Amino acid sequence: MTRTLYDLCGRDERLRFSPYCWRVRMALAHKGLVYNTIAWRFEDKQALAFADYDKVPVLCDGDQVITDSFKIMRYLDKAYPDAPVLGEGTAYQRALFFKYYVERSVTPSLFRSVALDLLAAIHPDDRDYFRKTREARFGARLEEVHNPEQGKQQLYQVLAPVREQLHGSPFLDGETPSGIDYLLFGSMMWTHTVSLEPLTEPDDPVSEWFTRMLDAHNGIARQAITIRDLN
Amino acid sequence: MTRTLYDLCGRDERLRFSPYCWRVRMALAHKGLVYNTIAWRFEDKQALAFADYDKVPVLCDGDQVITDSFKIMRYLDKAYPDAPVLGEGTAYQRALFFKYYVERSVTPSLFRSVALDLLAAIHPDDRDYFRKTREARFGARLEEVHNPEQGKQQLYQVLAPVREQLHGSPFLDGETPSGIDYLLFGSMMWTHTVSLEPLTEPDDPVSEWFTRMLDAHNGIARQAITIRDLN
């Protein structure tokens, strides 16, 4: 059976930084599932017409087509129930809350820290699209949004509950990484891939967790090409 | 079997506003367990000497003595496994994250909104203790910490993921309230009990959820005496 993930790429086709695609890549690795990726760019809507969708990730699993990262994680739990990532019942419901925590509380401070790094990392043909959609979302020019000092301060504050959790266990989901680790890791991998400077201090428990996540599942994330490999 | 909860009281013995005691009261109601409460005040350390602890809640369940609200919730799940509140495995682990989210992200903005209301609500003999411990924690005078306008703005922002979650289900844990609802509700009940003004707007999904929580378990929280009943 063929399994294919449509994955956002940047100015170099090997540069893969979408937080939503990283969630899915980690969930696929968690399940021990092999897959190919197809590099995709923001402007290439036509390539996703078959999925009736205009964003990645899109997963083709045999004849199944699944869109949206969280729905893909949910699909993987249903189709491959061993080693659940989101889980069922209240475990699922609490993972859903964590998804909103990442997207509504963590992501804005990450974006503020690397807005212009992201712009530089994406393909030149995609930059107009990126600028237009993101400036509409923030109601400000990317040059105004980009404020690494403020972004890092906000990030430090917003990660306070994550830091507390990591005092008790090596991963957010316990002794081994699982669904909520992947949700946060996706977003932090996004900035790790495009930024020259780390956004957390080396002695921060969050940095130590991030290192463990890079090593997880045979180091699939550690092997990823970053902007630092291209410069 | 006798079941007794040591519960913080304010300037009127019927005024019960501890966020940690409210968590436990809701968890006991969730399990359908009956209990008596003993009104306790901050300065009454001697009354808790038997528990080798200096804070409430303390639960005496027959000959078991359990301290700390989250440990009490965990104990209740072990001793009365029907209708879990925190759950096991990843469900428990994610509830633990939510506890830290409430304590590290939500509570500071609530405290900022009602610091002087809290001071007025507690027993006059407890006020020196309260001022001293809280001012040490915040590194500022209560009069400087108290800033309802700023507190409400922070609260609105920090509750963004809660608001998203409530678009999908009536309670944070799904169709019926459970552990993470009680963790947040405890803290919001704290301010609801001592504040003259609501901290969220009436059309905010969080306010609508709070109303549902007041009605839950035969309205045990709705029946609570608040500062508005005493003035």
Side-chain angles (χ1 to χ4, degrees):
Chain A
M1 190 175 79
T2 312
R3 191 176 294 117
T4 306
L5 179 68
Y6 285 78
D7 190 15
L8 184 69
C9 71
R11 62 181 169 86
D12 184 299
E13 197 180 289
R14 295 168 300 164
L15 198 62
R16 307 291 175 94
F17 54 83
S18 158
Y20 306 108
C21 293
W22 270 108
R23 292 177 178 180
V24 172
R25 296 176 77 138
M26 295 301 279
L28 286 162
H30 179 101
K31 301 272 184 187
L33 299 171
V34 293
Y35 59 97
N36 303 311
T37 67
I38 294 182
W40 178 85
R41 297 205 334 255
F42 287 113
E43 287 286 35
D44 197 7
K45 306 297 185 195
Q46 195 53 42
L48 301 180
F50 74 95
D52 196 22
Y53 207 61
D54 66 350
K55 283 190 282 289
V56 292
V58 170
L59 180 71
C60 301
D61 190 38
D63 57 3
Q64 299 283 311
V65 175
I66 316 101
T67 61
D68 179 90
S69 61
F70 202 72
K71 283 186 188 151
I72 294 172
M73 292 169 88
R74 182 73 164 154
Y75 163 82
L76 292 174
D77 270 354
K78 298 287 185 193
Y80 308 96
D82 285 350
V85 285
L86 299 178
E88 298 295 326
T90 50
Y92 172 80
Q93 194 69 20
R94 294 168 188 175
L96 184 59
F97 171 80
F98 194 87
K99 163 192 148 76
Y100 294 134
Y101 162 75
V102 169
E103 293 174 6
R104 299 300 307 266
S105 298
V106 180
T107 301
S109 59
L110 291 172
F111 191 83
R112 182 167 288 278
S113 306
V114 300
L116 293 181
D117 301 295
L118 276 166
L119 185 68
I122 68 173
H123 194 279
D125 292 352
D126 276 348
R127 287 180 191 163
D128 281 351
Y129 169 87
F130 180 83
R131 180 182 281 282
K132 201 170 146 191
T133 51
R134 272 52 180 178
E135 292 186 347
R137 194 177 299 165
F138 281 84
R141 303 233 335 134
L142 288 180
E143 286 74 7
E144 288 155 5
V145 174
H146 186 82
N147 186 334
E149 207 43 54
Q150 203 178 72
K152 281 169 73 168
Q153 272 176 27
Q154 280 177 5
L155 183 66
Y156 185 82
Q157 274 200 318
V158 95
L159 290 177
V162 166
R163 214 168 279 119
E164 289 275 356
Q165 182 87 333
L166 293 171
H167 284 135
S169 57
F171 297 98
L172 299 174
D173 260 338
E175 292 304 310
T176 55
S178 190
I180 68 171
D181 292 283
Y182 306 142
L183 293 171
L184 180 62
F185 179 73
S187 290
M188 298 198 63
M189 190 62 188
W190 177 50
T191 54
H192 173 77
T193 310
V194 303
S195 169
L196 292 176
E197 301 290 336
L199 301 183
T200 52
E201 299 300 320
D203 61 348
D204 187 328
V206 177
S207 302
E208 293 162 4
W209 163 85
F210 189 77
T211 299
R212 289 190 287 277
M213 292 299 294
L214 287 175
D215 291 331
H217 306 311
N218 301 315
I220 60 153
R222 188 176 289 287
Q223 293 151 31
I225 301 286
T226 76
I227 203 80
R228 300 175 294 286
D229 301 311
L230 301 180
N231 284 354
Chain B
M1 191 176 76
T2 311
R3 193 174 292 116
T4 306
L5 179 69
Y6 285 79
D7 190 15
L8 183 70
C9 71
R11 63 180 168 87
D12 184 298
E13 198 179 289
R14 295 167 301 164
L15 199 61
R16 308 291 176 94
F17 53 83
S18 157
Y20 306 106
C21 293
W22 271 108
R23 290 176 179 181
V24 172
R25 295 176 75 137
M26 295 302 278
L28 286 162
H30 180 101
K31 300 271 184 188
L33 299 172
V34 294
Y35 59 97
N36 303 311
T37 67
I38 293 180
W40 178 85
R41 298 203 334 253
F42 286 113
E43 287 286 33
D44 197 9
K45 305 296 185 197
Q46 195 52 42
L48 301 180
F50 74 95
D52 197 22
Y53 208 61
D54 66 350
K55 284 191 280 291
V56 291
V58 170
L59 179 70
C60 301
D61 191 37
D63 57 2
Q64 298 285 311
V65 175
I66 316 101
T67 61
D68 178 90
S69 61
F70 202 72
K71 283 187 190 150
I72 294 173
M73 292 169 86
R74 182 72 164 156
Y75 163 82
L76 292 175
D77 270 353
K78 299 285 185 194
Y80 308 96
D82 285 351
V85 287
L86 299 179
E88 298 295 326
T90 49
Y92 171 81
Q93 195 68 20
R94 293 168 188 176
L96 184 60
F97 171 80
F98 194 87
K99 163 191 148 77
Y100 294 132
Y101 162 73
V102 168
E103 295 174 5
R104 299 300 308 264
S105 297
V106 180
T107 300
S109 59
L110 290 172
F111 191 84
R112 180 167 290 278
S113 305
V114 300
L116 293 180
D117 302 294
L118 276 166
L119 186 68
I122 67 172
H123 193 280
D125 293 352
D126 276 348
R127 287 180 192 161
D128 282 351
Y129 169 86
F130 180 83
R131 180 183 282 282
K132 201 170 146 190
T133 51
R134 273 52 180 178
E135 291 186 348
R137 195 178 297 166
F138 281 85
R141 302 233 335 135
L142 288 180
E143 286 73 7
E144 289 156 4
V145 174
H146 186 82
N147 187 334
E149 206 44 55
Q150 203 178 71
K152 282 168 73 170
Q153 272 176 28
Q154 280 178 5
L155 182 66
Y156 184 84
Q157 275 199 319
V158 95
L159 289 176
V162 166
R163 212 168 280 119
E164 289 275 355
Q165 181 87 333
L166 293 171
H167 284 136
S169 57
F171 297 98
L172 299 174
D173 259 340
E175 291 305 310
T176 55
S178 192
I180 68 170
D181 293 283
Y182 306 142
L183 293 171
L184 180 62
F185 180 73
S187 290
M188 297 198 64
M189 189 64 187
W190 177 50
T191 55
H192 172 77
T193 309
V194 304
S195 170
L196 293 175
E197 302 291 335
L199 301 184
T200 52
E201 299 299 321
D203 61 348
D204 187 327
V206 177
S207 302
E208 294 163 4
W209 164 85
F210 189 77
T211 299
R212 288 192 287 278
M213 291 299 293
L214 287 175
D215 291 331
H217 306 312
N218 301 314
I220 60 153
R222 188 176 287 290
Q223 293 150 32
I225 302 286
T226 76
I227 203 81
R228 300 175 294 287
D229 301 311
L230 301 180
N231 284 354

